[in-house]
Structures are given as C-alpha cells and as structure tokens.
Amino acid sequence: MQYSRSLGVSASPDVLVCGAGCAGTVAAIAAAREGASVLLIERFGFSGGYITGVIGASFDGFVDLRSGLPVVGGIVEEFARGATGGGSDVMTRAFSPSNELRELRDTPNRNKIRFNLEGFKRQADRMFAESGAKVLYYTQVVDVICKGGRVEGVVIANKAGLSVVTPKMVVDATGDADAAAYAGADFDMDDEMQPMSLHFRIGNVHIDKDTRDQCSAALKEAHRKRDLALYGGPWIGRLEADSEVYVNACRAAGSGINPEDLTRAEVQGRIDAALMFDLFKRHVPAFKDSYLSSTGPFAGVRETRRIAGDSRLTGDDIDQQRSQKDVIALGCWWRDRHPKHASGYHMHEIVRPYDIGYGTLLPRGIDNMLVAGRCHSADGSALASSRVTVTAMAMGQAAGTAAALACAKGTSTRGFKVSELQSRLLANGAVILDRAEKVLSVGDGMDDVPASAVR
C-alpha cells in the first residue's frame, strides 16, 4: 500500500533533539546554553528516560568504581547537586556506585545520591525553560527525509497530527537510533541482545542487612518450583524515602524495536512484578507491611541498534585502556551484560574509566546528525558498560554542544576541530583529558580492587 500527503513545516530550529531520556535531556540543555535555538521532542509526558520512566533511580556511571570519585561533570553535576541538597563540593566527594542495596552495604562510608523522581522531572523542566530549549512532550520522530548525506526534514507525530521539522542539526537520543535508522544510516544489532526489564516500586518497606539475600532466596525458590520463569537479580534500589524501594528483577527476552516484544515485556512484567511482590511479602520480613506502589511507566531496554560511526568503541579499547584523541566523555560502569535466558545474578567486570571518542557519536555518511546514549557506535562488549544513565548524559552534553558549535560556525558535525569542542566541554565542567587524569590517579593508586564479582 502506498500513502502520500503534503505536510506542513511546524518548526525550523538550529538543533532538533529526538528523545528526552538521560542523553536527550542533557543534549537539549547543552545546545541551548551554547546559543542554539533548540526543539526537544519526547514521546512521553516527562523527561528523564531510564531514571524517571523505567524507575531506575540511580546515577549509574557517575563515579570511578574504585575510588567513588565522580568522572562525569558538567550538567550531570547540576543534577547531582539537585539530588544531594545543593552542595557545591559534589565533584570532590566519594559516592557509592549506585543505590542498590549491595552497593550501599559495601560502601557504607560513601555519600549517596537518592532521587525524588518527581523532583528530577521538575528540575529538568526548569533547566529547559532557563536555557531557552523548547520542549514538545507527547511527540516522536516517525520518519526522516535525508538527501545527499544531509537531513532535510524530520517527520514528527503528536496530537496535532503529522508535520515536518527542518533543523540545521539533529541529535538522535532515542536510545534505539530511530532517527538515524530512518535517515538510512548503517547500524549494528546483535542477535543476542540483553533482555528488557519492567521495574516496580514498593512502599512501607523496612530494609535490614539480610533483606537482599532473603529476596534472592525467595525468587530462586519460586524459579525452582517453576512458579516464576525468567528473572534477574533481584537488584533492589533505595529511593529518596527510606521506606520505599524500586526492584529491577523482571526479565523479558526480545527486541526493544519490535512492538510485539515490547508489549509482551510490559504485560508479562506486570504479572511478574505482582508475583514477586507477593513472594517478598510472604517470605521476607522487611516487606511484611509493604504495598506494591506502581510498575514503571515503560519497560527498560538495554540495547537495540548501535550506529556505525566514524569510530567504534570496543571492549578491547576498554581492556587496553586506549586513550582517544577525540575524547568527549568518560565511561566507568561495570561491564554489565545481562544474560538473555538465565536467571539470578551475573558476573560484573570492573573497568578503569575509559575514553569515549567523538567519532562514536557520528553516523557515517550523514553530515548534520549526532547520536547520544546507548545507540552510539560500540560493540556489544563495550556497550555492556557504556549504555548506562550518566554515561549517556555525558554523551548528550557532548552531542548538544557539538551541534550548537556546528550551527554557530555554519559547518557540518565534522567541520570544526575536536579540540574546540573539548575546550567548550572543559569550560562547562566536563571531566576529560588532564582533568580526568587527576581523578583517575586516585583509583589507580588503590590496592585490592576486585576484577569482577557476581552481583
């Protein structure tokens, strides 16, 4: 069936950012602060992506796993201050790697970042307004018009219908590289992608030192009896209130760009969340008086498309600690690859923080598009680390800054010296180059850092 119609142009910004998850939120703020006119579109009614929508309220990828010192700054630092009460010394304090109960138990003397999810949404909205970035919620990209290696128009859909945005630059922060794929960019996608997860929240919980192990035992026994099929962890994270937690344990194999798989992940996730909550309430003392508060607004997707970029981050780059001349951010999360068909905990390999190059944000063959987040150019081994929230935010700041720089100069995404981009990032608080070496030297000097662990 063929279908055609004429569409009106609804906006012509300097920079169009597609997706207001972790990467897109920061990309839009960064581009607007650099003086570009920015339109940010998001398919849901709020920003924050994994943190707010999946309820993955943790700053994964913020700190060197060894020392706990932050290795991502800039706009991320502002969000960290918002979650810690506004202290000006965020970048000099040691933090737990995440809000998960084991991490909190293993690093009792470190600072914690615990989110109020509604507060995070409001902070993002305020920063959009203050920076001048225009936001359209309930709007998503559905097609891209690309000619001669240049995006001429992006077709968007919302309650007003279909229209076209004609930007000078596009930042694809959809997570799935939707805009890049619609533009005809090459991409990779593994057959064995990591599974999806629907998180859920539980209130009136009284956590103690044995709670995590007791939750694990309850799920393991239900799995042995075949009452519960596939599950992960469980990983249980603290929210802002001591009595409220979120649980990452539902596990659904499938593709995050297949609507049927996504639907199944949501439906089965709600069934599994209710079952797990019932198991916790019956078998774990901390949950005796608890209640199931909510499941996440949408399931979390760990990997789908990864663009074929000007350069590619590999697992070997991370292992060999290769420096990148075009570094624009550091990654630092465990190599954390969730198994597709296994249950329980899995191996996490610790990594020394590593360089992510600008070339991994550039889809080959397209002159006015960048990506940010888990769809950047990486192999599966590297993406097991680079896919997480704060690393995506760091890429977002680089992509938004680069897009604005290209607009100001009237060039393509490759038409300026990377050193100019790096200078802007450093001026705005990024931790790269010499600034990164000072932080990394602390972790490098530590003894008895485990290489891996089942977590």
Side-chain angles (χ1 to χ4, degrees):
M1 178 183 294
Q2 290 187 335
Y3 174 80
S4 64
R5 62 176 296 183
S6 297
L7 300 177
V9 174
S10 56
S12 298
D14 290 334
V15 179
L16 172 66
V17 180
C18 301
C22 294
T25 292
V26 174
I29 296 166
R33 287 181 176 178
E34 291 293 318
S37 62
V38 176
L39 175 61
L40 170 65
I41 62 172
E42 165 56 42
R43 60 181 174 146
F44 295 104
F46 54 87
S47 67
Y50 181 81
I51 290 174
T52 56
V54 179
I55 312 178
S58 192
F59 245 27
D60 297 352
F62 182 44
V63 302
D64 185 332
L65 294 169
R66 304 165 302 174
S67 67
L69 292 175
V71 293
V72 177
I75 294 171
V76 163
E77 179 184 350
E78 298 175 47
F79 279 106
R81 287 204 304 267
T84 56
S88 60
D89 60 344
V90 166
M91 298 302 291
T92 60
R93 294 156 63 189
F95 290 88
S96 296
S98 75
N99 290 334
E100 208 278 324
L101 294 186
R102 173 168 174 166
E103 304 290 0
L104 298 180
R105 183 191 68 194
D106 289 353
T107 56
N109 298 320
R110 291 187 182 177
N111 295 280
K112 323 297 179 193
I113 295 180
R114 290 168 57 179
F115 284 103
N116 178 303
L117 300 182
E118 295 305 310
F120 188 94
K121 296 174 189 177
R122 291 193 302 272
Q123 183 178 357
D125 286 339
R126 182 173 64 254
M127 292 169 75
F128 296 147
E130 290 172 352
S131 68
K134 180 180 178 181
V135 184
L136 276 182
Y137 290 130
Y138 301 107
T139 302
Q140 68 184 87
V141 55
V142 294
D143 203 359
V144 173
I145 302 162
C146 190
K147 294 182 180 179
R150 187 171 183 84
V151 173
E152 294 188 346
V154 176
V155 182
I156 63 172
N158 54 27
K159 295 297 286 186
L162 299 176
S163 65
V164 176
V165 178
T166 56
K168 295 177 182 176
M169 292 285 154
V170 179
V171 176
D172 183 343
T174 62
D176 300 311
D178 288 340
Y182 298 156
D186 291 334
F187 59 86
D188 297 314
M189 194 162 62
D190 291 345
D191 293 333
E192 291 291 321
M193 289 182 289
Q194 296 181 67
M196 298 173 279
S197 295
L198 186 75
H199 294 190
F200 55 99
R201 296 166 71 170
I202 302 176
N204 202 29
V205 183
H206 305 288
I207 298 294
D208 61 36
K209 63 181 178 62
D210 298 318
T211 297
R212 187 184 195 260
D213 292 340
Q214 291 168 343
C215 289
S216 175
L219 297 191
K220 188 178 295 185
E221 177 63 13
H223 182 63
R224 186 189 68 80
K225 293 179 177 178
R226 298 187 179 179
D227 294 333
L228 175 64
L230 200 62
Y231 75 93
W235 297 277
I236 302 170
R238 290 278 200 180
L239 289 166
E240 184 181 44
D242 284 338
S243 61
E244 187 177 21
V245 299
Y246 68 93
V247 181
N248 172 1
C250 300
R251 177 165 282 175
S255 170
I257 59 171
N258 181 315
E260 292 183 353
D261 287 351
L262 279 171
T263 301
R264 181 172 49 79
E266 297 276 358
V267 173
Q268 188 62 48
R270 285 189 282 272
I271 293 171
D272 289 346
L275 172 59
M276 291 178 188
F277 168 70
D278 182 63
L279 290 167
F280 294 164
K281 194 171 179 69
R282 287 191 287 118
H283 299 294
V284 181
F287 291 84
K288 179 183 176 182
D289 300 316
S290 65
Y291 58 90
L292 180 61
S293 174
S294 67
T295 55
F298 50 90
V301 179
R302 293 184 172 90
E303 66 173 312
T304 52
R305 304 183 188 101
R306 308 185 306 271
I307 65 154
D310 284 9
S311 61
R312 188 185 195 209
L313 179 69
T314 68
D316 193 55
D317 289 334
I318 296 174
D319 293 339
Q320 300 302 320
Q321 301 176 13
R322 293 193 181 98
S323 61
Q324 306 295 331
K325 291 182 179 179
D326 65 343
V327 56
I328 45 79
L330 296 190
C332 61
W333 189 244
W334 309 88
R335 184 177 279 116
D336 172 17
R337 187 168 183 83
H338 290 240
K340 184 177 180 180
H341 294 300
S343 291
Y345 296 107
H346 61 272
M347 189 66 71
H348 286 51
E349 299 174 32
I350 198 168
V351 302
R352 181 184 188 269
Y354 54 89
D355 290 352
I356 296 175
Y358 179 57
T360 73
L361 310 185
L362 300 177
R364 286 203 305 255
I366 303 181
D367 290 334
N368 63 335
M369 177 181 283
L370 304 103
V371 305
R374 62 177 172 82
C375 56
H376 82 126
S377 181
D379 68 13
S381 174
L383 193 76
S385 170
S386 68
R387 62 183 173 79
V388 295
T389 52
V390 175
T391 310
M393 295 168 86
M395 286 189 258
Q397 181 150 2
T401 303
L405 183 61
C407 288
K409 289 181 166 292
T411 67
S412 73
T413 54
R414 301 169 179 85
F416 52 82
K417 294 180 180 179
V418 175
S419 60
E420 295 180 80
L421 172 59
Q422 292 169 329
S423 293
R424 292 305 307 149
L425 293 172
L426 285 166
N428 291 318
V431 181
I432 55 174
L433 300 172
D434 290 346
R435 186 177 294 164
E437 289 304 316
K438 293 179 182 178
V439 178
L440 298 184
S441 65
V442 178
D444 291 344
M446 296 177 67
D447 296 325
D448 301 324
V449 177
S452 62
V454 175
R455 308 183 75 83

